[in-house]
Amino acid sequence: MTNEPILAMVDITKTFPGVKALTDVNLTVERGEVHAICGENGAGKSTLMKVLSGVYPHGSYEGEIVFEGKPANFSGIRDSERAGIVIIHQELALSPFLSIAENIFLGNEQQRHGRIDWNATNLKAAELLRRVGLAESPVTKITDLGVGKQQLVEIAKALSKEVKVLILDEPTAALNDTDSAHLLGLIDGLREHGITSIIISHKLNEIKAIADRVTVIRDGRTIETLDLHADEISEERIIRGMVGRDLESRFPEREATIGEEVLRIEDWTVHHPLEHSRIVVDHANLYVRAGEVVGIAGLMGAGRTELAMSVFGHSYGRDISGKLYKNGQPIQASTVKQAIAHGIAYATEDRKRYGLNLIDDIKRNVSGSALGKLARWGHVDANAETVVANGYRKSMRIKAPDVGVITGKLSGGNQQKVVLSKWMFTDPDVLILDEPTRGIDVGAKYEIYTIINTMAAQGKAIIVISSELPELLGICDRIYALSAGRVTGEVDVATAQPEKLMQYMTQVKE
């Protein structure tokens, strides 16, 4: 390594409307090293890398990027790639119905006399595939590859662009142990070719195994950079940097009155709907009681949403096995209709796509999941529908003059209240809330927390999935931690420590 770092990001500040995502972030990367970036979900890691790679172009942020000793003012991804910086996003950007070779050279076609030279394309692709240890033919379609092999194609594509700095965002999040080990070995081997790597990852054991240094980002700010060779840095030490924040009192007080067990999930296993051999929920066990708020904590790719959706009428996955018990009795809930009939409700994390009809009004959205309760002689009683929706508009404090307002015109917080109203109208015994406060402001969050408390006081059994540990610690009675589809720990909130929870969340299968 030379004394001069290959990359320096100085005082980077990035603001979105109403939100400061990054504040004076500093990052220095040495030539030829593997540099890890750690932080909780929403800490600003991916935003920082999008600034570096030109996804957020120069002028849209404050601060300076110095690459190979010169100011770098990238106006887009093509600029950063020409300089030798290539980013591989967690959501892979491959065209599924094109071949491996076509994907590798897409936008950088091998031409001869104004036409694509397919012989040269396939020969060069084959050489790149050998470099990344992939034995597939260059003419194989991407759709015929698993996620692990697709990751290798992305790296081959990066190598075709003469990459100097390779950025990988959660590269092993969706991979099994074998594919993860192969990918990490490949990244480690890139050092020999003078390639510098930046890895965003939550898997601390992988970071300790492969990285030279780690920079911790928390709440959009640089906390520290740790040398993993010079110091005895434990996973606990990294975790403390990731979660070491003051847990301010932003949650309404609640005196829990917890009753008997309402729902039990036993040995629940779910396979990926497309990659049938991949297990996304692995023999999970948990329970929730009347009046109890139970949290599910996990990092991206842990299987939280997959667990919730599969329990709610097998809305996700295939080859689902395991048992559900309601009030101690086994139940079948293999369709959404059956799940609702058994008193189970699921409020999705993506309210705009799955939770609401944004072009319809509040009234229709509230009544949509239980129209049978409003039917008279085979028709919906419009007056009763209006009365019900108005009742929720007032009790949930939805800010709208009447229930005829189009739902898409409401703020995020009010849309979330409509989602909750819709499911409360089904009168569930179990309510699963997936990221219930995502994308809404602090004031609206407090109102949602108050609604959750009210429902718990009514004896509902509530499961809350959240990426924010402070939120789970502030509103739950117990918390289960998920990692790689497995329940790795259970804590009582009264005695819970954020560091212990993060340890469970980053635990990997031995």
Side-chain angles (χ1 to χ4, degrees):
M1 295 184 187
T2 63
N3 290 330
E4 181 183 71
I6 190 171
L7 170 71
M9 302 182 75
V10 184
D11 294 336
I12 301 296
T13 297
K14 173 64 180 173
T15 303
F16 298 102
V19 178
K20 186 170 277 191
L22 299 171
T23 305
D24 297 328
V25 172
N26 293 282
L27 175 69
T28 301
V29 179
E30 303 295 340
R31 192 178 299 273
E33 78 169 330
V34 176
H35 195 110
I37 299 178
C38 283
E40 290 186 273
N41 295 345
K45 309 179 299 295
S46 295
T47 300
L48 183 65
M49 291 300 98
K50 287 177 180 178
V51 167
L52 172 58
S53 59
V55 174
Y56 299 134
H58 179 71
S60 69
Y61 59 87
E62 299 171 36
E64 183 182 22
I65 300 173
V66 179
F67 184 62
E68 295 193 307
K70 299 177 182 178
N73 301 325
F74 302 134
S75 60
I77 290 180
R78 286 188 176 272
D79 278 359
S80 65
E81 289 184 346
R82 276 192 289 267
I85 298 173
V86 179
I87 185 169
I88 299 176
H89 297 282
Q90 185 175 0
E91 299 295 330
L92 303 181
L94 297 171
S95 181
F97 299 109
L98 295 182
S99 71
I100 292 173
E102 288 170 321
N103 270 278
I104 288 175
F105 293 106
L106 190 62
N108 184 32
E109 286 77 9
Q110 305 302 293
Q111 298 184 36
R112 188 179 182 187
H113 308 308
R115 296 184 178 182
I116 295 175
D117 185 337
W118 290 110
N119 188 46
T121 297
N122 289 325
L123 283 173
K124 289 183 178 180
E127 172 57 31
L128 291 166
L129 293 179
R130 278 193 291 273
R131 285 184 65 183
V132 300
L134 191 56
E136 257 68 17
S137 165
V139 298
T140 303
K141 285 185 169 55
I142 294 296
T143 190
D144 295 327
L145 301 178
V147 177
K149 291 180 178 180
Q150 289 184 29
Q151 283 277 17
L152 297 179
V153 173
E154 283 276 24
I155 293 178
K157 185 175 181 179
L159 295 177
S160 76
K161 299 172 182 176
E162 299 183 3
V163 60
K164 297 175 183 176
V165 173
L166 179 63
I167 305 165
L168 301 107
D169 191 350
E170 297 286 355
T172 65
L175 304 188
N176 60 35
D177 294 344
T178 302
D179 287 342
S180 294
H182 180 71
L183 181 61
L184 292 172
L186 173 60
I187 295 167
D188 195 33
L190 292 178
R191 304 174 203 256
E192 298 174 11
H193 300 279
I195 295 173
T196 303
S197 298
I198 301 174
I199 299 180
I200 297 174
S201 180
H202 287 119
K203 297 183 179 179
L204 302 186
N205 63 319
E206 293 180 356
I207 286 171
K208 282 184 59 60
I210 193 175
D212 299 294
R213 293 188 301 152
V214 55
T215 294
V216 178
I217 296 177
R218 187 170 74 228
D219 296 334
R221 297 178 183 271
T222 310
I223 300 302
E224 57 191 349
T225 295
L226 304 171
D227 188 331
L228 297 177
H229 298 304
D231 305 308
E232 287 295 324
I233 303 297
S234 64
E235 291 184 21
E236 288 75 14
R237 174 70 182 80
I238 300 171
I239 289 169
R240 191 159 62 248
M242 291 168 64
V243 303
R245 68 181 78 186
D246 294 328
L247 299 181
E248 298 176 7
S249 181
R250 295 182 179 175
F251 308 98
E253 292 185 7
R254 178 172 73 93
E255 291 187 12
T257 303
I258 297 175
E260 297 297 317
E261 177 184 294
V262 177
L263 181 72
R264 177 175 289 272
I265 301 167
E266 281 191 359
D267 210 26
W268 199 256
T269 300
V270 181
H271 292 253
H272 192 280
L274 300 178
E275 295 175 57
H276 304 164
S277 62
R278 180 151 71 93
I279 295 175
V280 291
V281 180
D282 191 355
H283 298 87
N285 294 279
L286 59 91
Y287 69 92
V288 57
R289 297 169 291 190
E292 186 178 32
V293 181
V294 169
I296 299 181
L299 301 171
M300 196 170 290
R304 299 167 302 169
T305 293
E306 291 83 352
L307 170 62
M309 290 182 68
S310 61
V311 167
F312 184 62
H314 294 194
S315 301
Y316 174 91
R318 61 174 290 148
D319 300 331
I320 298 170
S321 61
K323 296 179 180 178
L324 293 180
Y325 294 89
K326 174 85 180 301
N327 299 324
Q329 300 298 315
I331 61 169
Q332 288 293 325
S334 55
T335 67
V336 169
K337 186 175 181 179
Q338 285 180 338
I340 293 173
H342 283 298
I344 302 172
Y346 168 67
T348 173
E349 65 175 336
D350 190 347
R351 60 178 172 267
K352 290 180 181 290
R353 186 175 180 186
Y354 297 119
L356 296 168
N357 182 349
L358 295 176
I359 61 173
D360 211 338
D361 58 26
I362 295 171
K363 177 178 67 177
R364 294 291 176 83
N365 273 281
V366 169
S367 64
S369 290
L371 285 174
K373 296 172 69 173
L374 299 168
R376 293 182 65 186
W377 302 295
H379 296 278
V380 173
D381 184 331
N383 289 330
E385 187 180 30
T386 300
V387 170
V388 166
N390 251 324
Y392 282 110
R393 179 180 69 86
K394 293 174 181 176
S395 65
M396 301 286 276
R397 298 174 64 186
I398 298 170
K399 293 179 181 176
D402 56 64
V403 295
V405 172
I406 300 301
T407 311
K409 295 182 178 180
L410 301 175
S411 68
N414 285 298
Q415 287 181 359
Q416 190 66 10
K417 291 176 185 178
V418 175
V419 172
L420 293 177
S421 299
K422 176 180 77 171
W423 288 115
M424 287 172 69
F425 182 47
T426 68
D427 193 24
D429 300 312
V430 180
L431 182 58
I432 306 171
L433 305 176
D434 197 347
E435 300 285 2
T437 65
R438 173 176 286 170
I440 62 180
D441 61 49
V442 174
K445 282 186 177 184
Y446 192 93
E447 289 187 295
I448 297 297
Y449 301 147
T450 302
I451 292 166
I452 291 172
N453 286 355
T454 300
M455 291 189 291
Q458 294 169 355
K460 310 292 187 188
I462 299 170
I463 297 174
V464 177
I465 298 169
S466 177
S467 298
E468 299 180 30
L469 277 187
E471 179 170 83
L472 292 178
L473 291 166
I475 65 174
C476 295
D477 301 300
R478 286 185 300 120
I479 301 175
Y480 290 99
L482 240 64
S483 178
R486 296 181 307 120
V487 175
T488 51
E490 175 192 350
V491 299
D492 190 302
V493 167
T495 57
Q497 296 178 336
E499 291 83 2
K500 189 64 178 176
L501 260 175
M502 184 62 75
Q503 191 173 28
Y504 285 139
M505 289 160 61
T506 53
Q507 187 174 314
V508 293
K509 198 172 184 177
E510 297 295 336

